[in-house]
Amino acid sequence: MESRKNIAGSACGLVGLVLTFAGVAGAHRPVVVAGLYGAGALIAPPERPALPDFPDPSAQLDEVRDDFEKLRGYLTDVELSAAAATRLRGLTDLLAALLDRGWAAELLTHDPEGVHVLSRIVRRDLPETVDGFVRTRWWTRMAPGSESPELHLERQLGLLTEDAERLAAGLREAEARRQESHTRYLEERGGTV
């Protein structure tokens, strides 16, 4: 009853009734009313399905923040060498700064790729890196003489830190471009500095 096709058909059918009462339709009035209804139904735009309701980037960031807090709890229980612990602390500090609710979060809400990078590091890469280390370290104790799992852990943490630093550099560049753009705007408006 509420479809666009029915509404358009009914409006055209009413025009047919008006034509019938005006005497224009003559003896063919039922055909005119039905034909106008059908024509209206055919020319009406089709119904569009509703767009899916995806969470906005700020809601996605909130979920990543929650997952990061869970991850931090997990990381406090893992025994690491001093060098690996230092690298891990540097990475988690950088991730905490990127996930902070300040200006970085505002920039990330306009950067879905950045949200994806953070999500990938927090939800998959960092937990897998640390879990792989814990598992391999246990096996290394059972069969000594193989390559130290600490070396792989430190390399992996270094690579993840580089990913996070690239993201931070991209956000910093975006903010610098915004500032430069505002300076140009003010200069073009007539106010020179």
Side-chain angles (χ1 to χ4, degrees):
M1 294 294 281
E2 299 173 4
S3 73
R4 293 179 186 182
K5 292 190 174 289
N6 188 38
I7 292 172
S10 297
C12 289
L14 285 174
V15 170
L17 285 175
V18 169
L19 292 175
T20 298
F21 291 127
V24 177
H28 304 292
R29 62 182 177 267
V31 174
V32 170
V33 172
L36 285 173
Y37 175 86
L42 286 175
I43 64 170
E47 293 291 326
R48 285 188 355 230
L51 289 172
D53 186 25
F54 295 120
D56 65 341
S58 62
Q60 291 174 346
L61 274 176
D62 288 339
E63 292 172 9
V64 174
R65 279 186 197 101
D66 293 342
D67 292 343
F68 181 63
E69 290 307 315
K70 291 176 194 172
L71 178 63
R72 282 178 128 169
Y74 164 75
L75 294 175
T76 58
D77 295 336
V78 177
E79 295 176 25
L80 301 173
S81 66
T86 301
R87 280 189 181 240
L88 181 62
R89 191 171 26 264
L91 175 58
T92 56
D93 289 348
L94 180 55
L95 292 173
L98 288 169
L99 288 169
D100 187 33
R101 295 187 186 275
W103 64 269
E106 290 176 24
L107 291 174
L108 280 169
T109 59
H110 302 292
D111 183 10
E113 184 61 31
V115 173
H116 174 71
V117 168
L118 275 176
S119 176
R120 187 185 67 224
I121 291 172
V122 169
R123 293 177 173 161
R124 190 185 74 211
D125 293 341
L126 185 54
E128 189 173 317
T129 294
V130 175
D131 186 57
F133 163 73
V134 170
R135 290 171 186 253
T136 307
R137 181 180 61 183
W138 183 83
W139 284 105
T140 304
R141 289 177 185 163
M142 299 293 288
S146 59
E147 189 174 16
S148 169
E150 281 85 4
L151 295 176
H152 284 287
L153 175 65
E154 289 177 28
R155 275 189 254 155
Q156 291 171 2
L157 290 173
L159 293 169
L160 291 174
T161 301
E162 288 175 13
D163 280 350
E165 287 172 346
R166 272 194 298 275
L167 176 60
L171 294 175
R172 184 174 43 247
E173 288 172 18
E175 197 63 15
R177 282 192 305 271
R178 187 176 79 80
Q179 185 183 25
E180 291 169 7
S181 175
H182 188 64
T183 301
R184 279 193 301 276
Y185 161 74
L186 291 174
E187 289 172 348
E188 289 171 3
R189 194 178 72 184
T192 59
V193 178

